[in-house]
């Protein structure tokens, strides 16, 4: 069984990912393409694959294709001989060679130029290449993992990505689900970041209040796990209370959240039927809560919409323990 300790989560979506990783680790030859929005853990997954398929201490080498200018990326990847270009004052090995026997992660592969894609494909297929300005063939056996947050199928259609390279890299595709589709993993992750920063900054133990948990569950997390990690870090540094209340959660998260809730609420009320059925009281409670939310807790307005008196509404609010969150 591979060691998945870097990857926190037990939602069905993540368990599917564990399954794929396990299969990938059993076969070192297969190349892997990792997709997913920014911050979903593509690098974490690549490292997990590397660590679980290594036998010794082979290197994990990572190159961000979006961050390095094209002419430099070529010599970074393939190395160069002395005098290959102005400024190449000595022979340098490229990242491909460094990763020999280990793993080369080509991060943000969608940003690689077509010319370099051609050279890369050749190097992967033949397991050999020449350094810039070099005559000799260099042989390497590195596992290639590519990651992307752009849709490569679309890039192929725009002729921005080579089809043959795509199929070569994509022997197995692992697409990481956005954090908003991982259910309560968001809480598990938040709690693990709380522990981590508590240790790193010697802040002691902290817990999330129930309302804070609800906020985290409802937010849509465009920056995914990275955004959550930063939000927790910030909350831990700026707030001393043992329990992290919503006021410790960044305003942007709270605001988008209330907007989303308001929109949802004014559109529909969903009652989930269970095997035991649903009681009148449960429906009444949900209807009142729904109406209060959609009127932003204007009780006069809510009472009018429900066609009941204000005191009656207040008694129900009391009875069901409803309060704005
Ligand atoms: N499932 C996870 N469990 C624990 N930490 C995670 C998980 N997914 C992502 N992270 C953390 O979130 C941050 C972003 O992850 P990263 O792999 O760099 O994302 P990506 O490469 O998809 O943008 C990192 O700090 C990483 O350690
Ligand atoms: Mg990344």
């Amino acid at each position: 069984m591979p060691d998945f300790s870097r990857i926190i989560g037990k939602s069905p979506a993540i368990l599917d990912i564990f399954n794929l990783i396990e299969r990938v680790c059993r076969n070192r030859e297969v190349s892997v393409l990792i997709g997913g929005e920014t911050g979903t853990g593509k690098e974490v997954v690549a490292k997990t694959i590397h660590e679980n398929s290594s036998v010794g201490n082979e290197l994990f080498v990572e190159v961000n294709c979006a961050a390095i200018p094209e002419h430099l990326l070529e010599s970074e990847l393939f190395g160069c001989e002395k005098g290959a270009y102005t400024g190449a004052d000595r022979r340098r090995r490229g990242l491909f060679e460094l990763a020999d026997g280990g793993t080369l992660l080509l991060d943000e592969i969608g940003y690689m130029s077509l010319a370099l894609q051609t050279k890369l494909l050749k190097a992967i297929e033949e397991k050999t290449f020449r350094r810039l300005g070099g005559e000799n063939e260099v042989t390497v056996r590195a596992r290639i993992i590519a990651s992307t947050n752009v849709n490569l199928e679309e890039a192929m259609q725009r002729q921005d990505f080579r089809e043959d390279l795509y199929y070569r890299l994509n022997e197995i595709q692992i697409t990481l689900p956005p954090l908003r589709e991982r259910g309560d993993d968001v809480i598990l992750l938040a709690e693990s970041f709380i522990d981590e920063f508590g240790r790193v900054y010697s802040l002691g133990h902290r817990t999330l209040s129930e309302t804070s948990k609800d906020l985290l569950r409802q937010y849509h997390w465009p920056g995914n796990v990275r955004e959550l990690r930063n939000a927790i870090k910030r909350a831990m540094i700026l707030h001393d209370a043992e329990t992290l209340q919503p006021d410790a959660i960044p305003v942007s998260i709270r605001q988008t959240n209330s907007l989303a809730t308001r929109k949802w609420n004014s559109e529909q009320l969903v009652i989930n039927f269970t095997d035991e059925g649903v009681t009148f009281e449960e429906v009444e409670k949900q209807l009142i809560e729904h109406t209060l939310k959609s009127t932003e807790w204007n009780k006069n307005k809510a009472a009018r919409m429900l066609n009941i008196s204000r005191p009656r509404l207040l008694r129900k609010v009391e009875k069901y323990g409803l309060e704005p969150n």
Side-chain angles (χ1 to χ4, degrees):
M1 221 12 212
D3 175 0
F4 291 121
S5 53
R6 281 181 186 275
I7 309 172
I8 291 166
K10 21 182 204 191
S11 60
I14 281 298
L15 296 183
D16 284 348
I17 299 291
F18 286 169
N19 209 329
L20 275 172
I21 296 177
E22 195 187 340
R23 283 166 188 279
V24 165
C25 292
R26 277 192 238 146
N27 186 345
R28 282 192 43 82
E29 292 299 313
V30 69
S31 57
V32 187
L33 179 64
I34 307 176
E37 292 176 13
T38 183
T40 46
K42 297 185 289 295
E43 284 176 60
V44 179
V45 167
K47 284 199 184 118
T48 300
I49 294 173
H50 168 75
E51 287 163 358
N52 287 290
S53 12
S54 322
V55 274
N57 40 11
E58 296 90 2
L59 283 188
F60 177 81
V61 178
E62 182 180 342
V63 55
N64 185 331
C65 304
I68 304 178
E70 191 193 333
H71 62 288
L72 290 181
L73 184 56
E74 183 172 6
S75 65
E76 278 292 306
L77 276 176
F78 298 106
C80 63
E81 298 291 341
K82 185 174 172 180
Y85 54 88
T86 336
D89 51 356
R90 58 188 176 90
R91 166 193 279 184
R92 275 205 311 130
R93 293 199 303 158
L95 299 176
F96 233 103
E97 263 180 279
L98 283 179
D100 193 15
T103 307
L104 178 63
L105 170 61
L106 300 164
D107 202 5
E108 307 295 2
I109 186 102
Y111 294 90
M112 185 180 275
S113 72
L114 282 167
L116 206 48
Q117 287 176 32
T118 309
K119 193 162 178 185
L120 174 67
L121 177 65
K122 194 161 171 287
I124 295 177
E125 298 221 298
E126 298 172 1
K127 298 196 167 65
T128 61
F129 61 88
R130 294 198 183 109
R131 300 192 190 101
L132 262 73
E135 302 272 300
N136 300 336
E137 298 275 348
V138 181
T139 306
V140 287
R141 285 168 58 89
R143 161 176 249 155
I144 305 292
I145 303 182
S147 79
T148 178
N149 61 26
V150 300
N151 183 322
L152 292 184
E153 276 101 353
E154 280 170 28
M156 274 193 303
Q157 270 159 19
R158 289 193 308 270
Q159 318 271 309
D160 284 337
F161 205 84
R162 290 187 60 130
E163 212 174 318
D164 42 13
L165 178 61
Y166 174 77
Y167 290 112
R168 187 63 189 73
L169 294 173
N170 191 20
E171 288 174 343
I172 293 205
Q173 184 160 353
I174 299 182
T175 306
L176 294 177
L179 181 57
R180 62 185 162 279
E181 290 172 13
R182 299 189 202 173
D184 259 12
D185 278 4
V186 67
I187 307 297
L188 279 181
L189 281 157
E191 286 170 343
S192 110
F193 295 140
I194 288 176
D195 287 348
E196 176 190 340
F197 294 121
R199 255 182 289 119
V200 172
Y201 300 120
S202 308
L203 293 170
H205 186 67
R206 303 275 176 86
T207 51
L208 288 162
S209 76
E210 284 308 313
T211 331
S212 298
K213 286 185 185 172
D214 283 341
L215 277 176
L216 300 185
R217 284 191 191 102
Q218 284 162 35
Y219 182 55
H220 61 292
W221 299 109
N224 294 291
V225 184
R226 183 177 292 114
E227 185 182 9
L228 172 64
R229 195 165 185 274
N230 290 341
I232 296 292
K233 182 175 184 178
R234 185 176 168 282
M236 301 273 293
I237 291 174
L238 296 182
H239 295 264
D240 289 328
E242 211 266 343
T243 306
L244 292 172
Q245 300 290 349
D247 67 342
I249 311 259
V251 159
S252 55
I253 293 175
R254 275 182 276 153
Q255 273 172 356
T256 334
N257 180 57
S258 62
L259 274 180
T261 323
R262 207 178 304 152
K263 186 165 172 289
W264 184 85
N265 274 302
S266 56
E267 276 167 12
Q268 53 179 248
L269 168 64
V270 179
I271 312 261
N272 291 318
F273 279 81
T274 63
D275 286 341
E276 290 86 33
V278 184
T279 62
F280 263 117
E281 281 192 328
E282 184 57 29
V283 176
E284 183 178 72
K285 177 182 166 197
Q286 288 194 36
L287 177 62
I288 290 172
E289 186 169 35
H290 178 88
T291 311
L292 284 166
K293 275 189 187 160
S294 66
T295 58
E296 294 181 58
W297 281 77
N298 180 327
K299 294 189 186 103
N300 288 327
K301 212 166 153 190
R304 263 198 316 276
M305 282 169 77
L306 292 162
N307 199 20
I308 55 176
S309 69
R310 189 186 145 94
R312 183 151 174 229
L313 174 66
L314 293 182
R315 277 199 303 276
K316 304 261 182 207
V317 167
E318 168 93 326
K319 172 178 170 191
Y320 295 124
L322 300 174
E323 53 185 32
N325 56 18

